Amino acid sequence: MKREKSEALFAKAQTYFPGGVNSPVRAFRSVGGTPLFIAKGKGAHIWDADGNEFIDYCASWGPLILGHANQKVIDAIKQTVENGSSFGAPTALENELAELILSNNKYVEKIRFVSSGTEAVMSAIRLARGFTKRNKIVKFEGCYHGHSDSLLVKAGSGLVTFGNTSSAGVPESVVNDTIVVSLNNEEAVKQAFIEFKNQIACIIIEPIPANNGLLLQRKEYLKFLRDICTENKTLLIFDEVVSGFRVGFTGAAGYYDIQPDIITYGKIIGGGLPVGMYGASAEIMSNISPEGNVYQAGTLSGNPVAMAAGIAQLTECLKPNFYIDLEKKTQFLISNFKFQILNFKVFSIGSIFWIAFTDKKNIRSAEEINPDSMKHFRILHKELLERGIYLGPSGYEVGFVSEAHTEADLIKTAKMFGEAMEEVMK
Ligand SMILES: *Cc1c(COP(=O)(O)O)cnc(C)c1O
């Protein structure tokens, strides 16, 4: 495979950006080799700067549920931008996207649009603290919530620990209010509520943790979190930046039928443009400024072009059988990954899948992932790339099937998978 153009572009990029990239995982450090510079995408396919073609399962890390360059999304963007790209004043398009979401999602009553998942989560945490007048938050090891300070923490040792900063530049004083516990562990959560009685503003969880493998939780565990939050007047935040509009239009809240207090969305909601959102009951949302005293604002929030892209994409998602068909495709793909080796599994939910080298039947917490197993993924990733299949460049990342993947794409993927796995097993 020719890589000259990507290599030249990456060399240049390294003179401009730290590590040559504007978001770290793109640098391919965990799989090795040069990141491909992408020139074009259409449907389920992407082409790199050297003209190599790939079937894509990264989907820009999830947003592109209709595939690349969907015609309806393109038309909506073009039509809208002809009339200007931003006003810093309200537009009808914000109402339209809000109406589309709220009339099809009973889990939120009022919302606020922002421009990224990070911003949505950061604002949701502020809202929870403002509403409860408490400072401490509980998060889970293995859940990613964007890069805001109080969430860039890793667990210390012990059942219930204050987080340790996982990034330079995040003061201990900030993470001292973040309590990190293991997923799928009721005892740890109970312990946190005993140790920090009446101090915990919120529990935040990815109800379908998909940023550190796919750590599918038991419904009973999510219900347990719901109940313990209610008992303690603590808010439950579902970070649905990945799962929202992915496992169904109403995300994980709808999938498990659990009512969280605040929900955050991102990724799919913007049709490939930068949009995030947080929402809650009208009562909780009334704390947001200018109605309430929790401040949150954005120059480009509710950007009309991004709203139009979101409306076009979500309108497609609402068509009958959209999610059923996506799940069928995903199951078809996975059922064709047939390898009689003991330590290989594909975990999935809806159109999300995760390739894991493990002999465990389930993996529900970060500690259950064997870091050493990633050496197999590195080979798999490289061999698949050589064969025209593009996965996110890390074994901790999940893959996404889109509406644009055809049966031929899935069959080809399964075939290449078989070949690549032969190499892994050598
Ligand atoms: C991607 C992601 C975020 C951060 O969103 P950005 O748009 O990258 O800021 C937050 N939470 C979850 C669950 C995510 O997957």
Side-chain angles (χ1 to χ4, degrees):
M1 186 192 293
K2 277 209 263 171
R3 294 270 171 85
E4 285 95 80
K5 290 203 172 123
S6 278
E7 277 162 11
L9 285 165
F10 190 48
K12 202 74 186 154
Q14 281 172 294
T15 71
Y16 302 134
F17 313 117
V21 289
N22 286 298
S23 195
V25 71
R26 296 179 196 173
F28 267 48
R29 293 224 171 155
S30 59
V31 290
T34 308
L36 301 178
F37 276 60
I38 307 303
K40 183 174 98 166
K42 187 73 195 169
H45 294 232
I46 53 174
W47 287 262
D48 70 10
D50 291 283
N52 301 306
E53 182 176 350
F54 303 89
I55 303 172
D56 178 30
Y57 292 94
C58 176
S60 188
W61 303 102
L64 305 179
I65 197 164
L66 306 178
H68 297 270
N70 175 276
Q71 200 55 51
K72 292 198 170 113
V73 176
I74 292 176
D75 290 345
I77 291 172
K78 279 185 175 166
Q79 255 180 30
T80 308
V81 79
E82 289 285 351
N83 292 319
S85 59
S86 183
F87 307 102
T91 66
L93 289 163
E94 292 156 73
N95 286 5
E96 212 181 302
L97 183 54
E99 169 73 23
L100 197 62
I101 295 165
L102 292 174
S103 63
N104 292 289
N105 186 338
K106 65 175 183 182
Y107 300 95
V108 277
E109 284 177 357
K110 262 197 178 174
I111 63 178
R112 166 79 45 98
F113 289 121
V114 292
S115 300
S116 71
T118 296
E119 233 188 305
V121 171
M122 187 184 80
S123 311
I125 298 277
R126 186 180 303 141
L127 172 57
R129 285 173 163 158
F131 179 79
T132 59
K133 303 188 171 59
R134 299 173 178 177
N135 287 338
K136 300 224 182 301
I137 64 175
V138 172
K139 86 170 282 289
F140 295 89
E141 175 76 0
C143 285
Y144 177 70
H145 301 292
H147 65 91
S148 66
D149 281 358
S150 59
L151 294 161
L152 279 184
V153 293
K154 56 178 189 290
S157 55
L159 192 61
V160 177
T161 57
F162 289 123
N164 301 319
T165 63
S166 61
S167 166
V170 175
E172 290 294 339
S173 57
V174 171
V175 297
N176 275 347
D177 280 326
T178 306
I179 300 155
V180 186
V181 296
S182 283
L183 282 163
N184 194 36
N185 187 335
E186 296 193 5
E187 252 351 277
V189 175
K190 284 182 190 161
Q191 195 60 40
F193 277 105
I194 293 169
E195 275 182 46
F196 304 105
K197 198 169 169 49
N198 299 330
Q199 295 176 56
I200 301 174
C202 62
I203 291 185
I204 183 164
I205 187 169
E206 283 181 83
I208 298 176
N211 279 287
N212 189 75
L214 182 62
L215 306 173
L216 295 174
Q217 299 302 294
R218 293 173 298 116
K219 182 176 176 175
E220 303 77 64
Y221 186 65
L222 297 172
K223 273 197 177 148
F224 156 78
L225 296 178
R226 173 64 282 175
D227 292 342
I228 202 165
C229 280
T230 307
E231 281 162 28
N232 289 280
K233 296 192 166 60
T234 291
L235 300 189
L236 177 63
I237 304 179
F238 273 8
D239 179 359
E240 299 228 40
V241 172
V242 170
S243 54
F245 311 103
R246 172 59 69 177
V247 298
F249 196 83
T250 52
Y255 190 93
Y256 296 113
D257 195 22
I258 291 174
Q259 174 71 61
D261 297 299
I262 306 178
I263 308 184
T264 58
Y265 295 117
K267 299 197 165 102
I268 291 173
I269 197 175
L273 268 62
V275 181
M277 186 208 103
Y278 62 102
S281 65
E283 186 207 348
I284 292 177
M285 288 303 281
S286 71
N287 289 272
I288 295 294
S289 112
E291 241 175 277
N293 54 11
V294 176
Y295 190 73
Q296 186 273 309
T299 301
L300 294 176
S301 291
N303 175 268
V305 184
M307 293 290 108
I311 293 163
Q313 174 147 286
L314 295 194
T315 301
E316 294 304 298
C317 295
L318 280 169
K319 291 193 171 156
N321 293 329
F322 179 84
Y323 289 102
I324 292 168
D325 291 346
L326 261 183
E327 179 161 6
K328 273 192 199 147
K329 275 189 200 184
T330 311
Q331 286 307 317
F332 174 77
L333 176 69
I334 292 170
S335 66
N336 281 300
F337 292 165
K338 290 192 205 88
F339 307 99
Q340 302 306 323
I341 60 167
L342 282 175
N343 67 343
F344 170 78
K345 290 235 166 47
V346 186
F347 295 101
S348 78
I349 184 168
S351 50
I352 309 174
F353 65 90
W354 178 47
I355 296 158
F357 292 89
T358 179
D359 48 18
K360 292 193 162 73
K361 198 161 153 259
N362 293 299
I363 298 190
R364 302 203 196 277
S365 66
E367 310 90 86
E368 293 172 82
I369 303 176
N370 177 3
D372 192 47
S373 69
M374 294 300 157
K375 65 183 184 226
H376 304 302
F377 183 84
R378 277 194 284 279
I379 303 170
L380 179 68
H381 186 270
K382 175 174 166 289
E383 296 297 331
L384 281 175
L385 216 51
E386 297 283 344
R387 290 169 176 78
I389 310 296
Y390 191 95
L391 296 180
S394 160
Y396 289 94
E397 300 289 353
V398 296
F400 299 98
V401 176
S402 76
E403 191 203 28
H405 285 90
T406 63
E407 192 173 331
D409 289 329
L410 303 175
I411 289 171
K412 180 176 175 196
T413 304
K415 179 165 181 285
M416 295 305 148
F417 214 88
E419 289 183 24
M421 283 296 279
E422 298 280 326
E423 298 300 317
V424 174
M425 287 185 276
K426 273 182 189 166

